[in-house]
Amino acid sequence: MAFLKPYLPTLAEPSRIPVHGVPAPRTKLSHAPWKRVTHFGHKAHFLAASLMILTAKRTKRCASRQAQESATLPPLQRLQRSLRFYSAIIPVLGQYIFRPWLRTLGVEKMGEDELIAEMDDWGSKRLQEALLDLGGFYVKTGQVLSTRVDLFSKPYTSRLRILQDSLPPVDAESIREIVSEELCGGGDLSELIRELDDEPLGTASIAQVHRGVLNDGREVAIKVLRPHMEPVLRGDVANLKLFALTLRGRLPVDYYPVFCELERALDGELDFLSEAQSALKVAASIRHNALGKELEAPLVVPLPIPGMATRKVLGFDIARCKANSYHEATMSNQKWVEPLQTEELGIDLGSSAGKALGRRILEALTTAYGRMVFSSGFIHGDPHPGNIFVLEGGKVALIDCGQVAQLFREQRLLVAEAVLAAAAYDGSRGMIELLAKCVRKFGVTFFEGQADEDACAASVALYLFGEKDVVFPGGYSKEEFSDKSPLRQLKSFPMELVLLGRASVLVKGVAARLDVAWSVAKKWAPLAKDAIAALCSEDECRLPAWALSSAAHQGASGSRLRFRDAARGCAALVRRWGIEKAATILTSSSKEKSKD
């Protein structure tokens, strides 16, 4: 600020500000040319000084916020969060050991079913309260648990479902300040946005989304990173890694390497510029098959608006993502409803309409993920139900492309081989060895001491892609909490398979919730055959879908000219012509007067 010192004492007296090193005379302004120049020079210096002060303050404020965002969580605060987590989770887990033991001693008088129901009810309440209170990465863990209806009882999956998009929101004033700093340079939001709702469309562990309307009338969804969340999230992942390391061998799978991989994936989730690119890649991938042919997209992926993407703020076009009439009729705050909450749409899962909706959702998800895997290998890695919505006409939308994975050519071929082998699995030794070979080539390793490691590896492949009623070889169990689960024998599990596994497990979970028979392997088998034919060609090396020339187009439905848009364009042209014509007339009139 030293460069402002010559001007700051004289800001109250503009006439005394030096111009080009010469003090301005103490005379009243007149129409003399040199005095007008001096007067304008005073104003210029005054404005320059004011802008410098404002810029310095804004830079300091931004630097302070950036330092807070990138700072690591203090050790004491991290310890406090860890203790709060353990104090909540240990009683929940401990009751399933202690209370049945008391029942065997005759102290607990309840029947077995009644006791389990009471423990589930109390444990689910305690866990929900703890995760909501802690927030951060613990919420993402709860989101995954809420989808596993095949593993956890209804009280747990029902209560944890609130974690998918209904967390306590950040106050609207803070959101407006962040959007202003990121998109308007700290200026007024009216430069860009006509409306910005105070009530969020949805809130999650990392960000929340608000509906807005741009000055040109476009309706948008604006995703804003929660302030000061990065150090909390990284501290939570470190605590969960320690938790998984402590319980290694006691959980159905070694979650330590899983949390290590998710920690690395967190970088992409905290950078909305990266997410904007990922959304474009996912949208392109689901519109193409493995042979590069452009097809109709099975679901909607909201696309980022050019120029409205920064590390902390991301604007999406939601013109095609309107909630359906069921939602509008039942939800006054216009929040979208995820597909597993079909009771909020007034649809009975056991009815023919419920079954039809369930099949439509499953078909959209299965086709979309199949194309992601085999057309480009670019996978949306966070498919919990809070990121899936039912739109008008039963169309499905997939949002939040922050967590993704890229499978390279050989990995896509291995997945294709594993899917085809799982679809044709007959229990023969040759098929077991083929599945085991695919799993090992992918980088999966196992603890030593397996009686039949091929059977264990094949069981992992069947767990990911196999039929619902398939029998695992080697006596391995499909139950994840069983001592005979093949997942307990995993030593390392690559990140790409973690995210791919989340997709396949999600589809299975939705099928289980909707009570619909569904085979991922059989649905993906035709796509896998096309992928092998396309990727194994010696004549050419096909581009991934997101790199094709057709990837930039959104198809007929997205590029169709609407009358409303054409009318707006014509009105804007007429208005601009009128303004320019009026300016020309005024200029001509001024010139004529000056001549006179």
Side-chain angles (χ1 to χ4, degrees):
M1 298 295 288
F3 58 91
L4 294 176
K5 285 185 79 174
Y7 306 111
L8 291 178
T10 57
L11 287 180
E13 301 179 76
S15 62
R16 297 293 294 167
I17 298 177
V19 180
H20 302 299
V22 180
R26 292 178 177 271
T27 57
K28 292 184 178 180
L29 292 173
S30 68
H31 295 289
W34 69 270
K35 291 182 178 178
R36 286 204 299 271
V37 171
T38 302
H39 176 58
F40 293 141
H42 297 165
K43 284 190 173 182
H45 281 285
F46 181 77
L47 289 174
S50 301
L51 287 173
M52 287 177 183
I53 294 171
L54 291 173
T55 303
K57 287 182 177 179
R58 187 178 300 158
T59 302
K60 184 177 180 181
R61 187 168 63 248
C62 291
S64 175
R65 179 180 291 148
Q66 187 173 1
Q68 290 176 345
E69 294 289 352
S70 59
T72 57
L73 202 66
L76 181 58
Q77 191 176 347
R78 179 180 158 186
L79 177 61
Q80 289 174 340
R81 290 180 62 80
S82 181
L83 291 175
R84 285 162 60 194
F85 172 70
Y86 282 111
S87 65
I89 198 70
I90 289 175
V92 173
L93 297 177
Q95 67 168 341
Y96 290 97
I97 299 173
F98 185 64
R99 293 189 68 179
W101 174 70
L102 290 179
R103 184 173 177 273
T104 60
L105 297 178
V107 177
E108 192 72 66
K109 303 298 183 182
M110 291 184 183
E112 183 177 0
D113 293 341
E114 187 181 2
L115 179 61
I116 291 174
E118 183 177 291
M119 289 191 297
D120 287 349
D121 184 64
W122 181 84
S124 60
K125 284 180 182 177
R126 180 73 180 263
L127 186 60
Q128 180 202 54
E129 291 169 358
L131 296 183
L132 280 172
D133 178 52
L134 286 164
F137 207 84
Y138 295 110
V139 168
K140 297 189 73 66
T141 305
Q143 290 170 348
V144 175
L145 297 181
S146 70
T147 67
R148 300 308 308 273
V149 295
D150 54 333
L151 289 180
F152 299 100
S153 61
K154 189 174 181 179
Y156 281 97
T157 56
S158 298
R159 287 201 169 97
L160 294 182
R161 201 179 302 155
I162 194 176
L163 301 175
Q164 290 165 7
D165 67 347
S166 302
L167 299 178
V170 177
D171 65 278
E173 189 59 36
S174 297
I175 293 297
R176 289 175 181 276
E177 185 179 345
I178 295 171
V179 175
S180 170
E181 289 285 353
E182 293 293 314
L183 298 183
C184 302
D188 198 283
L189 283 179
S190 60
E191 296 178 19
L192 177 66
I193 300 170
R194 182 191 303 169
E195 299 175 21
L196 184 62
D197 292 350
D198 290 342
E199 186 74 17
L201 289 172
T203 55
S205 55
I206 292 179
Q208 65 187 51
V209 181
H210 290 254
R211 173 193 164 276
V213 179
L214 300 183
N215 287 342
D216 63 1
R218 279 181 293 168
E219 192 173 8
V220 297
I222 300 179
K223 183 176 181 179
V224 183
L225 186 70
R226 282 175 171 261
H228 318 309
M229 280 305 297
E230 182 171 347
V232 174
L233 290 165
R234 296 196 184 281
D236 291 347
V237 175
N239 288 338
L240 288 168
K241 285 166 59 180
L242 179 61
F243 176 73
L245 197 61
T246 304
L247 296 181
R248 215 172 201 172
R250 299 179 180 85
L251 296 174
V253 65
D254 183 7
Y255 283 101
Y256 180 74
V258 174
F259 284 127
C260 289
E261 296 291 350
L262 290 176
E263 184 179 33
R264 284 192 281 272
L266 190 60
D267 292 333
E269 292 192 85
L270 293 169
D271 185 356
F272 290 170
L273 284 171
S274 175
E275 181 177 340
Q277 287 296 311
S278 297
L280 293 172
K281 287 185 175 183
V282 170
S285 298
I286 65 174
R287 294 199 324 274
H288 295 81
N289 64 11
L291 301 174
K293 182 179 179 182
E294 188 172 10
L295 305 168
E296 182 180 356
L299 49 75
V300 175
V301 176
L303 296 179
I305 297 172
M308 288 189 66
T310 72
R311 286 195 74 250
K312 299 176 184 177
V313 173
L314 182 56
F316 286 100
D317 184 358
I318 57 172
R320 294 188 299 143
C321 297
K322 298 288 188 181
N324 66 31
S325 57
Y326 294 111
H327 304 173
E328 293 167 358
T330 59
M331 302 195 71
S332 58
N333 59 2
Q334 298 182 358
K335 285 185 180 179
W336 297 332
V337 177
E338 51 95 356
L340 297 186
Q341 293 174 329
T342 49
E343 64 272 10
E344 297 194 34
L345 304 180
I347 297 175
D348 179 13
L349 289 176
S351 67
S352 57
K355 294 283 187 182
L357 176 62
R359 288 187 174 277
R360 182 177 295 183
I361 293 168
L362 286 168
E363 188 68 46
L365 291 173
T366 307
T367 302
Y369 270 92
R371 291 182 186 174
M372 286 183 220
V373 173
F374 299 116
S375 74
S376 66
F378 196 80
I379 306 169
H380 181 293
D382 195 16
H384 66 79
N387 286 338
I388 304 165
F389 300 102
V390 181
L391 307 178
E392 186 177 0
K395 193 79 172 177
V396 179
L398 181 65
I399 67 169
D400 194 356
C401 299
Q403 194 173 118
V404 293
Q406 176 68 65
L407 303 179
F408 54 81
R409 182 175 181 271
E410 288 74 13
Q411 288 176 324
R412 285 145 66 190
L413 284 173
L414 288 172
V415 173
E417 291 177 16
V419 165
L420 292 174
Y425 179 72
D426 57 6
S428 65
R429 191 66 199 176
M431 198 65 75
I432 292 172
E433 291 175 354
L434 176 59
L435 284 170
K437 180 182 177 182
C438 293
V439 170
R440 286 199 192 93
K441 280 189 174 181
F442 218 103
V444 178
T445 60
F446 300 87
F447 292 113
E448 296 180 359
Q450 306 300 318
D452 187 350
E453 191 174 289
D454 282 349
C456 186
S459 296
V460 171
L462 293 172
Y463 170 79
L464 293 174
F465 310 116
E467 300 286 332
K468 178 182 178 182
D469 299 323
V470 68
V471 177
F472 287 180
Y476 287 99
S477 172
K478 290 185 289 185
E479 300 295 330
E480 289 186 25
F481 288 104
S482 169
D483 291 335
K484 291 293 291 179
S485 170
L487 303 182
R488 283 184 174 272
Q489 315 307 322
L490 292 174
K491 185 177 181 181
S492 64
F493 203 69
M495 179 62 179
E496 293 80 10
L497 270 187
V498 171
L499 299 185
L500 181 59
R502 289 184 68 179
S504 64
V505 167
L506 168 81
V507 172
K508 289 183 178 182
V510 174
R513 176 67 191 274
L514 299 174
D515 195 23
V516 175
W518 204 259
S519 171
V520 174
K522 288 183 178 178
K523 291 288 183 180
W524 283 2
L527 297 169
K529 290 177 182 177
D530 286 346
I532 291 174
L535 294 173
C536 293
S537 173
E538 295 182 358
D539 299 330
E540 61 176 328
C541 184
R542 292 186 182 274
L543 287 171
W546 48 263
L548 296 171
S549 59
S550 56
H553 307 297
Q554 289 303 303
S557 63
S559 60
R560 184 176 59 202
L561 180 65
R562 294 179 296 182
F563 176 77
R564 182 178 64 183
D565 296 333
R568 281 179 179 170
C570 291
L573 286 173
V574 170
R575 186 166 58 251
R576 182 175 177 181
W577 175 84
I579 292 172
E580 291 178 352
K581 190 70 174 176
T584 303
I585 293 172
L586 289 172
T587 303
S588 301
S589 176
S590 298
K591 287 182 178 178
E592 290 176 1
K593 288 181 179 179
S594 63
K595 288 179 180 179
D596 295 340

